[in-house]
Amino acid sequence: MGPYGQQPGYGYPGGPTVPMPAQPGQPGGGGRNNTAMVIIVAAVVAIALIVGGGIWYAKSSGGDGKKDETASSSGGKGGTDGKDDTSGGTSSGSKEKVPSDPASKLLFQVDMPQTKDTVVTSGSWLTNSVYAKSGVAEIVGYNPAAGTKMWTLKLPGPVCTASKHVTEDNKTAVVFQPKMPKKGSSEGCSQVAAIDLDKGTRIWTKTVKNGDYTANLQNVTVSQHTVAVGSSNGGAAFDIGTGKVLWQPKPEDTCEDAGYGGGPKLVAVRKCGSYGERQLHIQTIDPTSGKVISDYKMTAGIEYAGIVSTDPLVVAADVGDSADDGSGISDYFSIDNKTGKLLTRISAPSDTYSGRCDSITRVEDCREVVAGNGRLYVPTEEHDGDGDYSKTNEIVVFDLATGKQTGQRAEAGDGYTLSPLRMDGGNLIAYKHPPYNKGGQIVTLGGPSFKATTLLENPATEDVRRAETTMLPEYAEILYGQGRLYMSAVYAHKTTYGKEYLLLAFGAGG
């Protein structure tokens, strides 16, 4: 499927009807100034929306952000720097503890909002006190265990894109339309706002001017205390607490920031030249001043690049348009943050390896590939398993200094497929998409043997399993933290194939 082959609502013929608990109710230069058929139909709808209004969704998987800088959306507040930690887990620095019984139960669910048109619902975040999820022109904060509504933040129009990163004090950012659009149209993605996830409030709302015009914003990220947005006319940045403008595009600039990767560091994908003659620069920049710290000049002819991670700095690109599966990846580039020197280039042919980056406008939207602990974790493409009609795959590991495989390899098991989600200290957290008669699993992989330890296994009852398997890791937002798994859709739409869900939450019992 091509880079815009999203799956609005994740419905399919005979979609799931799950016997779940009742829906929980709501309680009482120096700076930048220099600077299946349903799936097929859904893909067509998504392309039309993107072309018409620049609509975009954010990836959910987190990184390995440091504790004093940024909390990963996937792992709850406070990332890990990989140093020794005796608080639990299966490897140095790990935060996620292995339960005595990984068997999970469904904690709560939210029904798919009924709409007349396809509406973006991208954005989900997990902190120590709240799980927040975008709905139709709103963001709702839920109790992470009980699912009761803690707050509802109404927006004037639908969300276009959302940062995956959360600051140490639980702030993040979204881009949204200024009002509800008419069916089949868009009002443009012109509004960027900082969100306080503790209070459920908008801290500020801004637009970006490009001369006399208001820019259509294509991506947003958060790094430390900076909100950075990219557009086709260059990037801008704001202080997340005050909304103070840190930098913004100038019409006379001959190069512009197409977008940014956030988290522990801020990295810009800077474009110079026109299409067909483009030169890309991967720049680590100071989040407050925009000053360039390091600059890596990519090979001429590479039109787009996706940021897998900012620390370690890894970008992905489709060199020579050789990735014919729409993944957007043929090679990974491991770059030194301080010097801008290329450490190694890792070839990852799309007919062998999975993972995808939708980096034409999305820059930071790389899925199912994770960098951390000095390594790059990449899934293989699905291939035949041992059983009849079964599929499976593996995760292989590359050294980010040498580009060579480390020899570590994790097999999904017959009928399962593995998708890397995020780092947990020195361990990798991965999701195992299940076969037809099992529930999905969350596993942690670490140590020299790269052995998988199960953290959570979902119910294998047919209705729950069918609901879970609509949340495909290629498209859905999947967050795991504090022993709980949250799976959510990035589009709401008029349901025609039975019961569908905006989000599902699972928790282990032991």
Side-chain angles (χ1 to χ4, degrees):
M1 183 168 299
Y4 298 115
Q6 289 79 21
Q7 198 179 353
Y10 309 103
Y12 55 89
T17 301
V18 183
M20 300 184 177
Q23 176 66 31
Q26 187 169 0
R32 296 286 87 198
N33 288 341
N34 290 329
T35 33
M37 181 60 66
V38 175
I39 296 177
I40 295 172
V41 172
V44 174
V45 173
I47 292 170
L49 284 169
I50 293 161
V51 172
I55 291 178
W56 186 81
Y57 74 92
K59 107 176 187 181
S60 60
S61 63
D64 52 341
K66 297 181 181 180
K67 289 187 289 184
D68 62 347
E69 294 176 335
T70 305
S72 163
S73 64
S74 292
K77 183 179 178 182
T80 160
D81 55 13
K83 296 179 181 179
D84 290 342
D85 191 319
T86 58
S87 62
T90 61
S91 183
S92 175
S94 299
K95 301 296 183 183
E96 299 297 340
K97 296 184 178 181
V98 179
S100 58
D101 180 5
S104 77
K105 63 180 180 179
L106 186 71
L107 300 176
F108 62 96
Q109 88 292 337
V110 174
D111 292 346
M112 179 66 69
Q114 293 299 297
T115 64
K116 296 181 180 180
D117 205 356
T118 300
V119 179
V120 172
T121 59
S122 93
S124 57
W125 307 269
L126 179 62
T127 75
N128 285 341
S129 60
V130 66
Y131 168 73
K133 171 62 187 170
S134 294
V136 177
E138 66 178 12
I139 301 172
V140 179
Y142 301 92
N143 179 288
T148 49
K149 288 184 179 180
M150 300 175 65
W151 47 259
T152 299
L153 172 60
K154 295 291 185 181
L155 298 172
V159 168
C160 299
T161 180
S163 172
K164 67 175 183 174
H165 302 290
V166 178
T167 64
E168 184 76 2
D169 56 352
N170 296 332
K171 294 179 175 65
T172 192
V174 299
V175 168
F176 58 93
Q177 297 184 48
K179 62 181 180 179
M180 291 300 296
K182 295 180 180 178
K183 185 175 180 179
S185 67
S186 171
E187 291 296 330
C189 299
S190 60
Q191 313 290 303
V192 57
I195 306 298
D196 188 320
L197 294 172
D198 287 333
K199 300 176 181 178
T201 57
R202 261 195 282 171
I203 305 169
W204 49 258
T205 302
K206 300 286 185 179
T207 59
V208 176
K209 291 293 185 181
N210 181 48
D212 295 332
Y213 298 95
T214 299
N216 192 53
L217 307 176
Q218 298 174 330
N219 52 74
V220 62
T221 197
V222 171
S223 179
Q224 299 178 35
H225 293 283
T226 294
V227 175
V229 290
S231 75
S232 59
N233 298 111
F238 306 87
D239 182 275
I240 199 167
T242 65
K244 176 186 175 182
V245 176
L246 302 177
W247 66 82
Q248 56 187 339
K250 284 188 173 182
E252 64 268 22
D253 284 348
T254 57
C255 299
E256 66 263 350
D257 293 351
Y260 303 91
K265 296 185 183 295
L266 186 61
V267 173
V269 176
R270 189 159 178 81
K271 298 190 304 184
C272 299
S274 58
Y275 184 84
E277 299 179 349
R278 185 164 293 158
Q279 176 66 65
L280 292 185
H281 295 258
I282 308 301
Q283 297 181 333
T284 300
I285 59 180
D286 182 280
T288 301
S289 67
K291 180 180 179 180
V292 177
I293 298 170
S294 67
D295 186 321
Y296 171 67
K297 186 177 179 180
M298 298 198 75
T299 303
I302 297 177
E303 296 289 340
Y304 307 103
I307 299 174
V308 175
S309 168
T310 63
D311 189 19
L313 177 52
V314 179
V315 299
D318 183 5
V319 180
D321 296 325
S322 60
D324 58 5
D325 63 346
S327 67
I329 302 172
S330 67
D331 295 82
Y332 295 97
F333 299 77
S334 175
I335 302 166
D336 186 283
N337 268 113
K338 296 180 180 179
T339 65
K341 177 183 177 181
L342 179 68
L343 300 177
T344 190
R345 175 172 166 177
I346 299 169
S347 176
S350 61
D351 58 352
T352 303
Y353 298 102
S354 187
R356 62 180 59 230
C357 288
D358 294 351
S359 52
I360 293 176
T361 59
R362 304 174 184 181
V363 178
E364 200 179 19
D365 188 20
C366 291
R367 292 171 173 259
E368 298 185 280
V369 58
V370 170
N373 199 30
R375 297 173 175 87
L376 181 69
Y377 302 88
V378 184
T380 65
E381 284 284 353
E382 290 184 11
H383 55 82
D384 291 339
D386 294 333
D388 293 338
Y389 310 111
S390 70
K391 296 289 185 180
T392 190
N393 78 332
E394 299 78 34
I395 292 175
V396 296
V397 186
F398 295 90
D399 188 294
L400 286 176
T402 67
K404 297 180 180 179
Q405 289 195 29
T406 65
Q408 295 167 304
R409 186 180 184 92
E411 296 184 356
D414 198 42
Y416 289 94
T417 52
L418 271 165
S419 297
L421 293 181
R422 65 172 177 88
M423 297 304 297
D424 178 31
N427 282 8
L428 175 71
I429 302 292
Y431 173 69
K432 289 177 67 172
H433 186 77
Y436 73 94
N437 59 347
K438 300 287 186 180
Q441 297 179 8
I442 293 292
V443 298
T444 179
L445 300 155
S449 67
F450 207 48
K451 180 182 178 182
T453 301
T454 302
L455 298 177
L456 178 144
E457 182 169 10
N458 288 339
T461 55
E462 181 179 0
D463 289 340
V464 175
R465 178 174 44 77
R466 290 180 68 192
E468 177 188 355
T469 54
T470 65
M471 301 288 187
L472 298 175
E474 298 98 314
Y475 311 109
E477 295 176 338
I478 301 178
L479 305 183
Y480 178 81
Q482 306 162 28
R484 304 184 189 103
L485 170 65
Y486 304 88
M487 310 179 79
S488 63
V490 295
Y491 288 99
H493 67 115
K494 183 178 181 180
T495 57
T496 57
Y497 297 109
K499 193 74 170 178
E500 298 180 51
Y501 298 94
L502 178 67
L503 71 89
L504 304 169
F506 299 91

